[in-house]
Amino acid sequence: MPFAVYVLGLAVFAQGTSEFMLSGLVSAIAADLDVSLSAAGLLTSAFAVGMVLGAPLMALFSRTWPRRRALLLFLAVFIAVHIVGALTPGYGVLLAARFVGALANAGFWAVALAAAVSMVPDGLRGRAAAVVVGGVTIACVVGVPAGAVLGERWGWRAAFWAVAVVSLPALWAITRSVPGGVPGGRGRGRGGGTAPVADARGTASAGQEPEKAPAPARTPAPARTPAPARTPAPARTPAPARTPAPARTPVPARTPAPIPVRDELRLLLTAPHLLPTLLTMALVQGATFCAFSYLEPLLTRTTGLTITWVPLALALFGAGAFLGVGAAGRYAERRPTAFIAYGMAALALGWSTLALTAGRPVAALALIPLLGMLAFGTGTALITRVLGLVGRSSTLAGAFGTSAFNLGAAVGPWAGGLALEAGGGYRAPVWVSAALMALALLTEGARRLRRVRSRKRASGSTAG
């Protein structure tokens, strides 16, 4: 695996920490900036909306740039807005900084996913995507708890400073390791041959002699007269040595022109099974973040655990997510359809089981890492499928996958909150997660049915 892929995972780790760390800092931000808790919660919503909108917009904005330049720009903006957020005394500036940071994060995600899979052979696409997505899982295990600790000891601004500092090594490493080519410009172009060069003597074609003119008729020679005495000829001056012809300069390789935006969008929107896959991905992520966002009240008010068990439970979920991403990188490429189908079925069963057994501490703590593994393993396999459906060098494909991922991350907690407000109890968000997984299974089943029918039609037309 190229070192640059791990560098991209490091940058995503810092950005994932920023995305999720506010869950432990909302109260401190509200008190410091003199705003309500709901207003402080809008900082998370602003980031999610920026991610959903920013992924395709930033991908379109930077699609013709060299990938190294795009990654450096997005990461530099991300660092800058976190410095502004750490220094600002006002809520409005912090809200705007969160939105702009999300735009930069979304653009980085879209370019990083496409860049990672384009730097490896086809058989390693899943592993490359897993390394990038793995940055988020490590953020859940390490970054988010660390941000909460920093906020508790030195204030919420310390967490913003920490995200900016952690991002600096990735900024330096990208300049040293990520290739600087434009998207779609891998390898040499077609015009890489050497242009014909004319011969120095003006010969029309090599190996051909000029046509000889006929010799004139001979006339009888006159009678010879005695020749005068010969005088010695002067010594011949040696001819100067020939200067060798300069070496032929090969014509430089031509970089393929990028696909026009309209054509690439048409390819994306008409790619078979892409839109159902994006919908399935949004549903899977919605189920994941619906239950994850309300895990703390579930454990403390239904399971009966004390607040000190919550960081351990979150770490268990993150550890399971890390294992799931690694499993997807190793095995999802071999049988991707079966991997995704079994993972979603297991998730639907797992969320339902957690809702039923949430009152038993041992069962809840055992299910949490298993569900983290299934959720992020299935999500990584779906991202790999999206990139495979439309070509692994497509930045817009990575943007659409990023938008679907974060759309689920925004809608899932909202749906769980509605269930709580409706009086469903603290198990209600988990039941919503199970329902979302049932919808995801329906969309995946419809996609597979359509695929079978299209194959049958293709085989019937070929036979006819």
Side-chain angles (χ1 to χ4, degrees):
M1 191 69 62
F3 174 70
V5 176
Y6 294 101
V7 170
L8 298 178
L10 172 63
V12 169
F13 161 74
Q15 295 170 0
T17 300
S18 174
E19 183 175 3
F20 300 117
M21 71 181 181
L22 289 192
S23 59
L25 303 175
V26 172
S27 299
I29 292 174
D32 185 36
L33 300 182
D34 195 20
V35 295
S36 65
L37 283 175
S38 59
L42 286 178
L43 297 172
T44 301
S45 300
F47 199 96
V49 171
M51 287 289 292
V52 173
L53 299 178
L57 292 178
M58 294 299 101
L60 287 172
F61 176 69
S62 63
R63 62 188 300 274
T64 58
W65 294 3
R67 286 200 170 117
R68 187 195 310 163
R69 181 195 302 175
L71 292 170
L72 289 174
L73 175 63
F74 289 136
L75 189 55
V77 172
F78 181 82
I79 294 172
V81 297
H82 277 75
I83 294 175
V84 171
L87 295 174
T88 182
Y91 171 79
V93 175
L94 182 59
L95 184 66
R98 290 295 289 173
F99 182 77
V100 175
L103 293 179
N105 187 9
F108 188 95
W109 255 89
V111 179
L113 281 172
V117 298
S118 68
M119 288 188 287
V120 298
D122 289 339
L124 295 178
R125 288 186 306 172
R127 293 193 186 186
V131 170
V132 177
V133 179
V136 177
T137 66
I138 298 175
C140 293
V141 178
V142 179
V144 174
V149 171
L150 287 175
E152 181 181 355
R153 293 191 177 183
W154 293 292
W156 63 270
R157 299 176 191 273
F160 277 72
W161 281 113
V163 169
V165 171
V166 171
S167 301
L168 289 176
L171 190 70
W172 174 83
I174 287 172
T175 63
R176 308 289 298 178
S177 60
V178 175
V182 297
R186 296 180 66 198
R188 291 175 62 85
R190 292 184 178 181
T194 303
V197 182
D199 189 272
R201 297 188 300 266
T203 306
S205 60
Q208 294 182 353
E209 296 287 341
E211 187 178 356
K212 296 181 179 180
R218 293 183 179 182
T219 55
R224 294 183 179 181
T225 55
R230 295 182 177 180
T231 57
R236 294 184 178 180
T237 304
R242 294 184 179 180
T243 303
R248 297 178 180 180
T249 304
V251 177
R254 292 178 294 178
T255 301
I259 303 175
V261 174
R262 183 180 302 175
D263 293 342
E264 188 168 357
L265 283 174
R266 187 183 300 113
L267 288 174
L268 281 170
L269 296 177
T270 59
H273 316 297
L274 175 63
L275 293 180
T277 300
L278 291 174
L279 177 58
T280 302
M281 183 189 302
L283 290 170
V284 171
Q285 297 306 321
T288 301
F289 287 99
C290 177
F292 180 77
S293 299
Y294 300 99
L295 197 59
E296 181 265 328
L298 178 73
L299 294 175
T300 56
R301 304 184 188 186
T302 300
T303 308
L305 297 175
T306 62
I307 193 65
T308 57
W309 282 90
V310 174
L312 175 61
L314 296 176
L316 287 174
F317 185 90
F322 182 76
L323 294 176
V325 168
R330 288 185 174 274
Y331 305 114
E333 285 281 340
R334 301 177 186 177
R335 298 183 61 190
T337 302
F339 189 95
I340 292 171
Y342 293 151
M344 290 196 301
L347 275 171
L349 179 61
W351 291 125
S352 301
T353 305
L354 178 62
L356 291 172
T357 62
R360 302 176 182 176
V362 175
L365 292 176
L367 282 169
I368 284 172
L370 178 62
L371 288 167
M373 180 178 67
L374 292 170
F376 275 84
T378 306
T380 302
L382 286 167
I383 290 176
T384 305
R385 176 194 281 178
V386 168
L387 296 173
L389 285 174
V390 294
R392 62 183 188 173
S393 63
S394 173
T395 301
L396 284 180
F400 275 55
T402 302
S403 291
F405 186 99
N406 287 279
L407 180 62
V411 172
W414 171 77
L418 290 180
L420 276 175
E421 292 178 1
Y426 297 107
R427 300 175 194 247
V430 187
W431 282 119
V432 172
S433 295
L436 291 175
M437 286 309 309
L439 290 176
L441 284 170
L442 289 177
T443 60
E444 176 67 11
R447 186 198 70 84
R448 294 189 67 179
L449 182 60
R450 182 182 300 178
R451 185 177 182 183
V452 170
R453 288 178 177 176
S454 62
R455 284 183 176 178
K456 288 182 177 180
R457 286 195 298 265
S459 61
S461 61
T462 304

PDB file of all heavy atoms in Angstrom, residues 11 16 34 73 130 132 147 206 252 266 268 292 370 388 390:
ATOM      1  N   ALA A  11      -5.112  12.477   7.651  1.00  0.00           N
ATOM      2  CA  ALA A  11      -5.865  13.724   7.527  1.00  0.00           C
ATOM      3  C   ALA A  11      -7.347  13.504   7.817  1.00  0.00           C
ATOM      4  O   ALA A  11      -7.990  14.332   8.475  1.00  0.00           O
ATOM      5  CB  ALA A  11      -5.679  14.297   6.118  1.00  0.00           C
ATOM      6  N   GLY A  16     -12.331  13.749  10.981  1.00  0.00           N
ATOM      7  CA  GLY A  16     -13.375  12.996  11.661  1.00  0.00           C
ATOM      8  C   GLY A  16     -13.481  13.371  13.124  1.00  0.00           C
ATOM      9  O   GLY A  16     -14.586  13.415  13.695  1.00  0.00           O
ATOM     10  N   ASP A  34     -22.588  32.088  25.623  1.00  0.00           N
ATOM     11  CA  ASP A  34     -23.873  32.599  26.105  1.00  0.00           C
ATOM     12  C   ASP A  34     -24.992  32.358  25.089  1.00  0.00           C
ATOM     13  O   ASP A  34     -25.718  33.275  24.687  1.00  0.00           O
ATOM     14  CB  ASP A  34     -23.757  34.088  26.423  1.00  0.00           C
ATOM     15  CG  ASP A  34     -24.952  34.590  27.262  1.00  0.00           C
ATOM     16  OD1 ASP A  34     -25.618  33.735  27.889  1.00  0.00           O
ATOM     17  OD2 ASP A  34     -25.212  35.804  27.255  1.00  0.00           O
ATOM     18  N   LEU A  73      -5.086  22.519  -0.642  1.00  0.00           N
ATOM     19  CA  LEU A  73      -5.955  23.680  -0.449  1.00  0.00           C
ATOM     20  C   LEU A  73      -7.063  23.366   0.551  1.00  0.00           C
ATOM     21  O   LEU A  73      -7.311  24.142   1.495  1.00  0.00           O
ATOM     22  CB  LEU A  73      -6.559  24.108  -1.784  1.00  0.00           C
ATOM     23  CG  LEU A  73      -7.585  25.246  -1.690  1.00  0.00           C
ATOM     24  CD1 LEU A  73      -6.941  26.519  -1.177  1.00  0.00           C
ATOM     25  CD2 LEU A  73      -8.250  25.489  -3.036  1.00  0.00           C
ATOM     26  N   ALA A 130     -10.567   1.460   2.609  1.00  0.00           N
ATOM     27  CA  ALA A 130     -10.651   1.146   4.038  1.00  0.00           C
ATOM     28  C   ALA A 130      -9.671   1.977   4.855  1.00  0.00           C
ATOM     29  O   ALA A 130      -9.981   2.387   5.978  1.00  0.00           O
ATOM     30  CB  ALA A 130     -10.393  -0.343   4.253  1.00  0.00           C
ATOM     31  N   VAL A 132      -8.640   5.026   4.164  1.00  0.00           N
ATOM     32  CA  VAL A 132      -9.162   6.389   4.255  1.00  0.00           C
ATOM     33  C   VAL A 132     -10.329   6.442   5.241  1.00  0.00           C
ATOM     34  O   VAL A 132     -10.377   7.288   6.144  1.00  0.00           O
ATOM     35  CB  VAL A 132      -9.583   6.901   2.865  1.00  0.00           C
ATOM     36  CG1 VAL A 132     -10.201   8.293   2.971  1.00  0.00           C
ATOM     37  CG2 VAL A 132      -8.379   6.948   1.929  1.00  0.00           C
ATOM     38  N   GLY A 147     -10.771  14.693  22.516  1.00  0.00           N
ATOM     39  CA  GLY A 147     -11.333  16.039  22.443  1.00  0.00           C
ATOM     40  C   GLY A 147     -12.183  16.367  23.649  1.00  0.00           C
ATOM     41  O   GLY A 147     -12.156  17.497  24.163  1.00  0.00           O
ATOM     42  N   ALA A 206      13.605   6.684 -46.236  1.00  0.00           N
ATOM     43  CA  ALA A 206      14.810   5.928 -45.938  1.00  0.00           C
ATOM     44  C   ALA A 206      14.858   4.680 -46.795  1.00  0.00           C
ATOM     45  O   ALA A 206      13.858   4.027 -47.071  1.00  0.00           O
ATOM     46  CB  ALA A 206      14.823   5.555 -44.464  1.00  0.00           C
ATOM     47  N   PRO A 252       6.663  15.184 -26.367  1.00  0.00           N
ATOM     48  CA  PRO A 252       6.187  14.885 -25.001  1.00  0.00           C
ATOM     49  C   PRO A 252       4.804  14.251 -25.028  1.00  0.00           C
ATOM     50  O   PRO A 252       3.995  14.493 -25.910  1.00  0.00           O
ATOM     51  CB  PRO A 252       6.161  16.275 -24.324  1.00  0.00           C
ATOM     52  CG  PRO A 252       6.081  17.246 -25.450  1.00  0.00           C
ATOM     53  CD  PRO A 252       6.822  16.627 -26.600  1.00  0.00           C
ATOM     54  N   ARG A 266     -23.536  13.051 -16.510  1.00  0.00           N
ATOM     55  CA  ARG A 266     -24.406  12.120 -17.222  1.00  0.00           C
ATOM     56  C   ARG A 266     -23.970  10.687 -16.977  1.00  0.00           C
ATOM     57  O   ARG A 266     -24.804   9.788 -16.778  1.00  0.00           O
ATOM     58  CB  ARG A 266     -24.390  12.423 -18.718  1.00  0.00           C
ATOM     59  CG  ARG A 266     -25.410  11.603 -19.517  1.00  0.00           C
ATOM     60  CD  ARG A 266     -25.313  11.867 -21.009  1.00  0.00           C
ATOM     61  NE  ARG A 266     -25.564  13.264 -21.316  1.00  0.00           N
ATOM     62  CZ  ARG A 266     -24.639  14.096 -21.800  1.00  0.00           C
ATOM     63  NH1 ARG A 266     -23.407  13.677 -22.003  1.00  0.00           N
ATOM     64  NH2 ARG A 266     -24.948  15.341 -22.072  1.00  0.00           N
ATOM     65  N   LEU A 268     -22.439   9.584 -14.345  1.00  0.00           N
ATOM     66  CA  LEU A 268     -22.775   9.230 -12.968  1.00  0.00           C
ATOM     67  C   LEU A 268     -24.260   8.900 -12.821  1.00  0.00           C
ATOM     68  O   LEU A 268     -24.633   7.889 -12.226  1.00  0.00           O
ATOM     69  CB  LEU A 268     -22.404  10.380 -12.033  1.00  0.00           C
ATOM     70  CG  LEU A 268     -20.932  10.519 -11.654  1.00  0.00           C
ATOM     71  CD1 LEU A 268     -20.707  11.837 -10.943  1.00  0.00           C
ATOM     72  CD2 LEU A 268     -20.503   9.383 -10.765  1.00  0.00           C
ATOM     73  N   PHE A 292     -26.087   5.566  17.436  1.00  0.00           N
ATOM     74  CA  PHE A 292     -24.846   6.020  18.053  1.00  0.00           C
ATOM     75  C   PHE A 292     -25.038   7.356  18.765  1.00  0.00           C
ATOM     76  O   PHE A 292     -24.468   7.596  19.834  1.00  0.00           O
ATOM     77  CB  PHE A 292     -23.762   6.132  16.980  1.00  0.00           C
ATOM     78  CG  PHE A 292     -22.431   6.591  17.497  1.00  0.00           C
ATOM     79  CD1 PHE A 292     -21.597   5.729  18.186  1.00  0.00           C
ATOM     80  CD2 PHE A 292     -22.007   7.898  17.301  1.00  0.00           C
ATOM     81  CE1 PHE A 292     -20.368   6.148  18.670  1.00  0.00           C
ATOM     82  CE2 PHE A 292     -20.777   8.327  17.775  1.00  0.00           C
ATOM     83  CZ  PHE A 292     -19.954   7.445  18.460  1.00  0.00           C
ATOM     84  N   LEU A 370     -19.819  -5.311  18.191  1.00  0.00           N
ATOM     85  CA  LEU A 370     -20.242  -6.095  17.030  1.00  0.00           C
ATOM     86  C   LEU A 370     -21.002  -5.227  16.030  1.00  0.00           C
ATOM     87  O   LEU A 370     -20.786  -5.311  14.813  1.00  0.00           O
ATOM     88  CB  LEU A 370     -21.109  -7.264  17.495  1.00  0.00           C
ATOM     89  CG  LEU A 370     -21.680  -8.172  16.392  1.00  0.00           C
ATOM     90  CD1 LEU A 370     -20.557  -8.831  15.610  1.00  0.00           C
ATOM     91  CD2 LEU A 370     -22.613  -9.212  16.999  1.00  0.00           C
ATOM     92  N   GLY A 388     -16.334   1.749  -7.811  1.00  0.00           N
ATOM     93  CA  GLY A 388     -16.182   0.775  -8.870  1.00  0.00           C
ATOM     94  C   GLY A 388     -17.218   0.903  -9.959  1.00  0.00           C
ATOM     95  O   GLY A 388     -16.957   0.562 -11.120  1.00  0.00           O
ATOM     96  N   VAL A 390     -18.496   3.636 -11.315  1.00  0.00           N
ATOM     97  CA  VAL A 390     -18.332   4.766 -12.227  1.00  0.00           C
ATOM     98  C   VAL A 390     -16.879   5.039 -12.574  1.00  0.00           C
ATOM     99  O   VAL A 390     -16.579   6.044 -13.201  1.00  0.00           O
ATOM    100  CB  VAL A 390     -18.960   6.042 -11.634  1.00  0.00           C
ATOM    101  CG1 VAL A 390     -20.456   5.895 -11.536  1.00  0.00           C
ATOM    102  CG2 VAL A 390     -18.375   6.341 -10.282  1.00  0.00           C
TER     103      VAL A 390
END
